[in-house]
Amino acid sequence: MTEHWRLTASEIAERVRARDVSAEEVARDALARLDAANPAINAVVQFMPEEAIAAARAVDAAIARGEDPGPLAGVPVTTKVNVDQRGFATTNGLRIQKDLVAPADNPVVANLRRAGAVIVGRTNTPAFSLHWFTRNSLHGHTRNPRNPALTPGGSSGGAAAAVAAGIGALAQGTDIGGSVRYPAHACGVHGLRPTIGRVPAWNPGGAERAIGAQLMAVSGPIARSVADIRLALRAMAAPDARDPWWVPAPLEGPAFPKRAALCVRPEGMPTTPAVEAALRDAGRRLQDAGWTVVETPVPPLREPARMQAMLWLAESRRGMKKALAEENDPDANFVFAQMERLCPEPDFNTFQDALQARAGFCREWNLFLERYPVALMPVAAEPPFPDLLDLESPAAFDRVIEAMLPQVGLPLMSLPGLTVTTDLSGPAPMGVQLVGGRYREDVLLEAGAVIEAGGPMVTPVDPVR
């Protein structure tokens, strides 16, 4: 029997469209894989077998009528529990939201459906999606399927763990400070943070997003191949008038010079030898494919990271403290306290000054990325952390924050970033981060495909118990 869950999204869509296999067969196989693999990792926390089979049958019926089922025809996917999906609670990992049932789909969920995807489940996130580790008091603890001693990342830890374990060929995640890019790295898969406005998003069941989130928070795909990231982006980026930030930018931009900037230690970040080796190996792969790779500093990330945290925390302080007290999740309480320790509360002028300064950082990065269309830098200063490391002490939290500088600094400029896994031979997955110009995800995907081709094929793993 063919194990369809081992296939890539591109392979599944091609076979379903050609009627070599039915979408229903693929969906039933995906649900069986979920039942087999999920108990060990707790990646999927909301289940929808009846809805998945109904969606798959709709794809098969469209094909039988001679209609185009969409680019993700019959592809099993997961969504994250912090985005609205009609009929399911948008828990965001919170007991206080366990009954917050969405009245309609978030645009990214609606776009996945329209593209022919079959949603098989919803994935875990830390409480308030506030952590690079994935545990909460409602849904429990998500484990890394490659090594349970390591974090699966966060906040899209459930999404990345599901893809790594073969629960769906694609996952939707969200990223305001690394929540797609870091879990992809930790679980040994690939993940794209698109440009702000590339993928429409909005939760019909919630309040309007605060300005920091509007400038920095995105939905993006996690997958086991760069080709699947490209395919998923095409589907996710379809227009939706409900998001006023959506931009009708082409998915393929003009020709660009194949030139990359390699930065091993952005602003003196304490990059470990293992991470440096992964970066230099990725640089060699680009060079072997005809790219010019120049080792050079990148524009500022440290001050943008400080401003990112300040903008996000200033808005969170307005309404989140009451929710924190009601939820009383120990992990979230500790993380929020450490963030407050590191980020004093700004007054109105300081908040305004940060928004004003953002334009200068955007300009500096735009000019740099005209010269170097790709910046090759660490995902983090260290390999994937031991699970829940930052909860050990304030000092451990500070170590994690410093290591995550490339994750936190990037969103202030609304730039896209791509995590590419490069090595799966050691105890922890290794990978690199590519950063590109606004709406030039195509540049990142082209460079990412070159780096991917020089490394291991990412295939589903049976969870390590």
Side-chain angles (χ1 to χ4, degrees), residues 63 103 127 135 224 258 263-264 285 291 314 333 378 453-454:
I63 292 172
R135 183 175 72 174
R224 296 187 297 269
K258 292 186 177 180
C263 185
V264 174
R285 297 181 196 182
W291 285 65
N333 291 344

Side-chain angles (χ1 to χ4, degrees), residues 11 46 64 83 87 90 115 149 160 165 182 192 209 247 251 257 272 290 305 314 335 348 371 380:
E11 291 169 332
Q46 292 179 349
V83 298
T90 308
Y182 188 68
L192 175 69
R209 292 173 293 173
V247 175
L251 288 168
T272 65
V335 170
F348 179 76
R371 183 176 182 186

Side-chain angles (χ1 to χ4, degrees), residues 100-157:
L100 186 65
V101 175
D105 287 340
N106 185 297
V108 71
V109 176
N111 281 348
L112 287 170
R113 291 190 200 272
R114 280 193 288 265
V118 173
I119 302 172
V120 297
R122 298 197 9 107
T123 55
N124 204 15
T125 188
F128 299 96
S129 295
L130 177 66
H131 212 186
W132 289 304
F133 306 79
T134 300
R135 183 175 72 174
N136 62 67
S137 300
L138 175 63
H139 300 304
H141 195 169
T142 294
R143 301 289 187 174
N144 190 321
R146 295 189 185 275
N147 184 345
L150 301 177
T151 177
S155 62
S156 306

Side-chain angles (χ1 to χ4, degrees), residues 321-333:
K321 283 192 173 181
K322 181 175 183 293
L324 272 165
E326 291 179 2
E327 182 66 21
N328 198 28
D329 179 89
D331 294 2
N333 291 344

Side-chain angles (χ1 to χ4, degrees), residues 84-417:
D84 279 3
Q85 183 168 325
R86 184 183 65 252
F88 290 88
T90 308
T91 69
N92 203 16
L94 303 174
R95 291 169 293 186
I96 59 175
Q97 291 187 190
K98 65 181 178 64
D99 298 318
L100 186 65
V101 175
D105 287 340
N106 185 297
V108 71
V109 176
N111 281 348
L112 287 170
R113 291 190 200 272
R114 280 193 288 265
V118 173
I119 302 172
V120 297
R122 298 197 9 107
T123 55
N124 204 15
T125 188
F128 299 96
S129 295
L130 177 66
H131 212 186
W132 289 304
F133 306 79
T134 300
R135 183 175 72 174
N136 62 67
S137 300
L138 175 63
H139 300 304
H141 195 169
T142 294
R143 301 289 187 174
N144 190 321
R146 295 189 185 275
N147 184 345
L150 301 177
T151 177
S155 62
S156 306
V163 168
I167 303 172
L170 298 171
Q172 170 268 331
T174 61
D175 187 315
I176 194 173
S179 289
V180 163
R181 293 163 289 148
Y182 188 68
H185 172 60
C187 291
V189 292
H190 312 303
L192 175 69
R193 170 197 161 81
T195 311
I196 287 290
R198 171 66 80 187
V199 174
W202 170 65
N203 276 343
E208 291 291 353
R209 292 173 293 173
I211 189 60
Q214 291 185 41
L215 293 172
M216 297 185 291
V218 300
S219 274
I222 297 171
R224 296 187 297 269
S225 78
V226 172
D228 282 2
I229 295 283
R230 185 185 295 275
L231 181 67
L233 179 65
R234 175 185 163 199
M236 288 180 166
D240 192 307
R242 294 178 296 168
D243 185 355
W245 285 92
W246 183 81
V247 175
L251 288 168
E252 297 293 329
F256 61 93
K258 292 186 177 180
R259 192 161 52 239
L262 169 62
C263 185
V264 174
R265 294 178 178 81
E267 297 192 78
M269 188 180 72
T271 301
T272 65
V275 172
E276 178 175 356
L279 286 164
R280 297 196 182 281
D281 177 46
R284 284 190 292 270
R285 297 181 196 182
L286 288 173
Q287 286 180 320
D288 291 345
W291 285 65
T292 299
V293 178
V294 178
E295 188 161 356
T296 181
V298 295
L301 283 171
R302 198 169 291 280
E303 185 62 9
R306 187 191 69 81
M307 290 183 176
Q308 187 266 16
M310 186 270 287
L311 288 171
W312 175 84
L313 199 60
E315 295 164 340
S316 299
R317 283 177 167 122
R318 295 174 63 193
M320 190 168 160
K321 283 192 173 181
K322 181 175 183 293
L324 272 165
E326 291 179 2
E327 182 66 21
N328 198 28
D329 179 89
D331 294 2
N333 291 344
F334 180 83
V335 170
F336 194 81
Q338 301 315 304
M339 291 294 293
E340 287 202 300
R341 172 177 62 84
L342 295 173
C343 187
E345 187 165 3
D347 59 20
F348 179 76
N349 287 335
T350 304
F351 187 84
Q352 291 290 97
D353 289 345
L355 291 176
Q356 185 174 342
R358 174 181 175 271
F361 290 120
C362 289
R363 183 181 302 110
E364 194 169 351
W365 271 93
N366 287 348
L367 292 170
F368 180 84
L369 291 166
E370 279 195 345
R371 183 176 182 186
Y372 301 102
V374 169
L376 174 58
M377 66 177 69
V379 178
E382 303 182 28
F385 302 116
D387 202 15
L388 304 177
L389 170 66
D390 67 339
L391 299 178
E392 293 180 0
S393 67
F397 186 90
D398 292 351
R399 167 186 162 187
V400 170
I401 283 285
E402 172 62 17
M404 297 293 278
L405 174 64
Q407 298 297 296
V408 183
L410 187 68
L412 186 81
M413 285 74 68
S414 303
L415 293 170

